[in-house]
Amino acid sequence: MRVLLLGADGFIGRRVAERLLVEPDLQVTVLGRRDSADIRFDLTAGSPGALARFLDAVAPQAVINCAGATYGSSRALIRSNTLAVATVCEAIRRSREPARLVHVGSAAEYGPMPSGVPVPESAEPRPAGPYGVSKLAGTELVLASGLDAAVLRVFDVVGPGSPAASLFGRLAEGLRRALEQDERQVRMPDLSGYRDFVDVRDVARAIQSAAVSAATGVINIGSGHAVRARDAAQLLVRAAGFEGSISEDARVAALPVQPGAGQEHPPHYPPHRPSGEPVQWRQADVRTARDRLGWRTQVPLEESLGDIWLETACRV
């Protein structure tokens, strides 16, 4: 099976590439902006016609789109998360043999949801800020494209390779610094919110499953459990062997709308970023993923966070 992978340099895309490239039955071609890509192409600037010619040359049976941006100006987010998706959809439509499309969406598309309730795919999206709006627009383009397509609406991704500016990337680095300098306190933002944390390796498995399935439409990808960020942080603290305390300071940048889901561009969270209404609760209803993809999570949160710490502690 021939697969074209977009966004292989990002947090999720790297894991997808690793997984696909070891499969003997898959022929994987990587398209992106960097020299490491098999095909150099900028989705935010290139034309659908030019991309369609590459598609005709590669003749993929599936296109996996992990490309995008998690932070930037509204214009930059629209270019990366909406305009680029329009280019991909139009190029596939123009190609001689339109491929199946698997597009990576975001739980940020849902926006604030009622506490204590898992969110199903049928919930009306109400994104709280520019990132969620740009991702939702991309999803709507895919759904309206008429293509054989699935959108995996991914929840809060964690695990090795987490961007340095993500919640646990930042905490791991803070713990490392505290241990090296014999400090007794690490400052973090408010950690009272609940999130549905899912390991990046499980996300990669879900994307691979979707690529070879016949499932279409929106599919939630999460653990199906909401965990208070404060409790998750303590798992990382224990993995590091840190005996000091975590200080939650409102002056520190707020809990990200989509922690750790950086794709091509790692996010940066200034103290007063215009992210919209804060999201205090997020939990996925994952029955569709189980029923239509045969997918369940395999990596427990404790292992995900332990691997983040191992990676951080071993960094030279």
Side-chain angles (χ1 to χ4, degrees):
M1 180 178 178
R2 294 179 301 278
V3 177
L4 180 65
L5 176 61
L6 316 177
D9 291 322
F11 176 33
I12 294 174
R14 283 194 300 271
R15 290 297 176 180
V16 173
E18 290 172 4
R19 185 168 187 87
L20 298 183
L21 288 169
V22 299
E23 292 289 336
D25 296 331
L26 296 180
Q27 180 182 327
V28 182
T29 301
V30 172
L31 181 147
R33 293 182 295 187
R34 300 191 181 183
D35 292 338
S36 56
D38 299 311
I39 300 172
R40 290 284 303 277
F41 189 84
D42 186 346
L43 292 171
T44 66
S47 70
L51 181 56
R53 290 192 287 275
F54 284 125
L55 289 171
D56 287 339
V58 175
Q61 291 149 297
V63 173
I64 297 174
N65 184 25
C66 297
T70 53
Y71 184 81
S73 67
S74 296
R75 286 173 57 86
L77 290 169
I78 289 295
R79 283 196 302 270
S80 296
N81 299 332
T82 308
L83 177 61
V85 177
T87 297
V88 171
C89 291
E90 181 62 26
I92 294 175
R93 281 198 299 266
R94 293 188 189 184
S95 62
R96 286 195 294 266
E97 297 182 14
R100 172 171 171 77
L101 173 61
V102 176
H103 174 69
V104 178
S106 168
E109 297 170 35
Y110 286 121
M113 287 290 159
S115 296
V117 180
V119 55
E121 291 87 352
S122 59
E124 182 180 356
R126 299 177 183 274
Y131 171 69
V133 169
S134 67
K135 290 295 291 183
L136 178 60
T139 289
E140 294 295 341
L141 286 169
V142 172
L143 297 178
S145 68
L147 299 171
D148 173 16
V151 175
L152 302 190
R153 200 165 264 165
V154 178
F155 279 63
D156 297 79
V157 190
V158 296
S162 291
S166 68
L167 176 66
F168 295 120
R170 179 169 37 172
L171 176 57
E173 189 56 42
L175 291 169
R176 176 183 174 176
R177 184 171 57 252
L179 289 168
E180 289 177 345
Q181 299 177 7
D182 197 26
E183 297 174 351
R184 301 295 299 170
Q185 189 176 82
V186 175
R187 293 173 65 240
M188 290 294 290
D190 174 39
L191 300 172
S192 62
Y194 285 80
R195 294 289 184 269
D196 188 327
F197 298 110
V198 57
D199 190 89
V200 66
R201 292 159 291 193
D202 281 331
V203 173
R205 283 195 307 107
I207 291 170
Q208 181 181 3
S209 296
V212 300
S213 78
T216 58
V218 175
I219 303 173
N220 286 340
I221 301 298
S223 69
H225 303 283
V227 177
R228 190 187 293 269
R230 184 178 299 131
D231 297 333
Q234 286 302 317
L235 294 176
L236 184 52
V237 168
R238 286 201 291 272
F242 181 63
E243 297 181 353
S245 62
I246 302 298
S247 172
E248 297 179 36
D249 190 338
R251 292 170 295 180
V252 179
L255 182 63
V257 171
Q258 181 70 348
Q263 292 160 8
E264 288 195 15
H265 308 294
H268 169 66
Y269 303 105
H272 302 291
R273 63 187 178 88
S275 61
E277 183 180 352
V279 176
Q280 287 299 312
W281 173 273
R282 190 151 55 212
Q283 178 184 356
D285 182 331
V286 294
R287 289 175 293 180
T288 301
R290 292 173 181 174
D291 294 344
R292 301 180 67 186
L293 301 181
W295 175 86
R296 294 173 182 267
T297 57
Q298 294 181 354
V299 184
L301 180 57
E302 188 170 7
E303 181 178 339
S304 297
L305 297 174
D307 288 344
I308 291 175
W309 173 248
L310 183 62
E311 185 178 66
T312 302
C314 293
R315 190 179 301 129
V316 176

